[in-house]
Amino acid sequence: MDLKQIRYFVEVVEQGSISMAARKLGLTQPPVSKQMQLLERELGCALFLRSSQPLELTAEGKLLYERGVNLLAMAAGMVQAVADCRDTQGGTLRLGLVSSVSQLAVERWVAPFHRSHPGVSFELYEANTYLLLDQLRSRQFDLALVRTPFASRGVACHVLPPRPMLALWRPERFAFRSGEPVSLEELAEVPLILYRRWEDLVTEAFDRRGLRPQVLARSDSAGTCLALARTGLGVAISPDSMEQPALAAGLGTCPIGDPSLRSGIALARSESGCDTAAGQAFWDFFCHMEAVRP
């Protein structure tokens, strides 16, 4: 098995047929078919359910596709990392971001970093904290801006102090006082919009008080939670980094008074260090900026 076979296989899966994959690869169908046959022979199993159109994967095929996509990303990253490893003035910074941090990250770190390193370009990836950390451990990118809490196995982190989570609400719909702490007892009386990343943490906090939250909606995106709150349907529970977008959207914001509902931003890298000069430069820039921030 080699990278060429994996690349052909991934293209067949994503195009839905061998003929379409061959066209995308700039080849005729027979060599692509031959490589799929050799791949199945080497692995000793069928990868496709050939009776279906478009092609469907067997369980083994699904596993190979998932691992193959990651392998190709790692290979591409390795080539770029080697090219960038000595380039202190340029290169590409591959940075993972969780959605609740993305706007703050661009304004507070990415844009200022670009002003001091104008030759660096950016590849930004958005996902949840756990997926980003998994991808970081497999070195698919240089650094990731994620949110605590999480298991830090295999990564080194610069963690900012945790801050209270916020309630975001439409002022004409709910009678909370902006800027003043809100209790879980008060939040138990209103429909809630939960960022799914925090659902277990929020539920446990209510359970400890013997309260049952009224969950109206759950979402994997902090931006979607904000959009739902803007409609007045409910009160969103959000990390504090969403405060400025919430205020810009005309929402009220207030910290949640329970001490267990806190979260901090962390910049994570592989525990063995950054592969690229651009990644190391951003790490140093981030640490310096936060050390001198009032």
Side-chain angles (χ1 to χ4, degrees):
M1 184 189 310
D2 57 30
L3 279 177
K4 180 180 74 173
Q5 288 176 314
I6 296 298
R7 186 173 293 109
Y8 286 8
F9 171 73
V10 168
E11 200 65 58
V12 169
V13 175
E14 294 182 348
Q15 296 301 319
S17 74
I18 291 177
S19 60
M20 291 292 291
R23 190 175 308 155
K24 184 75 178 291
L25 293 164
L27 302 169
T28 59
Q29 184 170 336
V32 179
S33 297
K34 181 65 174 178
Q35 291 301 321
M36 295 304 97
Q37 293 166 9
L38 292 173
L39 195 54
E40 289 183 319
R41 187 180 307 164
E42 180 179 348
L43 293 171
C45 62
L47 299 172
F48 302 99
L49 299 173
R50 286 179 170 79
S51 60
S52 62
Q53 291 294 332
L55 288 177
E56 291 186 25
L57 295 175
T58 62
E60 295 87 349
K62 290 176 182 178
L63 178 61
L64 183 63
Y65 174 72
E66 179 182 324
R67 299 293 178 86
V69 168
N70 289 337
L71 182 62
L72 292 175
M74 289 174 63
M78 178 177 64
V79 171
Q80 188 63 55
V82 171
D84 291 349
C85 68
R86 294 184 179 275
D87 189 354
T88 58
Q89 299 304 317
T92 300
L93 174 65
R94 286 167 292 278
L95 179 66
L97 300 166
V98 292
S99 65
S100 64
V101 170
S102 57
Q103 181 169 333
L104 176 68
V106 168
E107 295 173 356
R108 186 160 161 177
W109 300 298
V110 173
F113 175 78
H114 179 63
R115 286 193 285 272
S116 61
H117 297 76
V120 173
S121 60
F122 300 88
E123 294 284 348
L124 304 179
Y125 307 84
E126 290 197 37
N128 64 59
T129 289
Y130 305 117
L131 180 57
L132 287 174
L133 290 174
D134 284 345
Q135 293 173 318
L136 183 64
R137 292 183 184 105
S138 62
R139 308 183 92 91
Q140 293 183 42
F141 38 76
D142 303 310
L143 302 163
L145 277 163
V146 293
R147 275 198 165 275
T148 62
F150 56 83
S152 58
R153 175 187 55 81
V155 298
C157 300
H158 185 105
V159 183
L160 303 187
R163 293 178 55 82
M165 297 185 71
L166 301 178
L168 313 178
W169 38 276
R170 198 166 183 86
E172 60 270 31
R173 174 74 170 82
F174 300 99
F176 301 126
R177 295 182 179 179
S178 191
E180 295 189 10
V182 60
S183 69
L184 294 186
E185 286 77 10
E186 292 173 288
L187 290 174
E189 299 298 319
V190 299
L192 297 179
I193 299 161
L194 299 185
Y195 184 24
R196 194 171 281 111
R197 161 80 164 91
W198 308 110
E199 182 176 1
D200 290 345
L201 196 67
V202 171
T203 301
E204 289 168 6
F206 277 95
D207 285 345
R208 284 192 293 270
R209 300 288 187 91
L211 300 170
R212 184 182 295 274
Q214 303 174 39
V215 180
L216 172 72
R218 301 172 177 85
S219 174
D220 290 316
S221 166
T224 301
C225 291
L226 178 66
L228 287 166
R230 285 183 64 188
T231 68
L233 289 175
V235 175
I237 294 181
S238 167
D240 73 294
S241 53
M242 294 299 294
E243 182 171 27
Q244 288 305 315
L247 292 173
L251 298 181
T253 72
C254 50
I256 298 173
D258 190 285
S260 69
L261 293 182
R262 300 173 68 85
S263 175
I265 296 171
L267 180 64
R269 67 179 183 187
S270 169
E271 61 185 358
S272 60
C274 292
D275 290 332
T276 67
Q280 185 60 49
F282 187 85
W283 175 274
D284 294 340
F285 176 86
F286 179 95
C287 294
H288 173 74
M289 287 284 288
E290 293 309 312
V292 301
R293 190 175 299 281

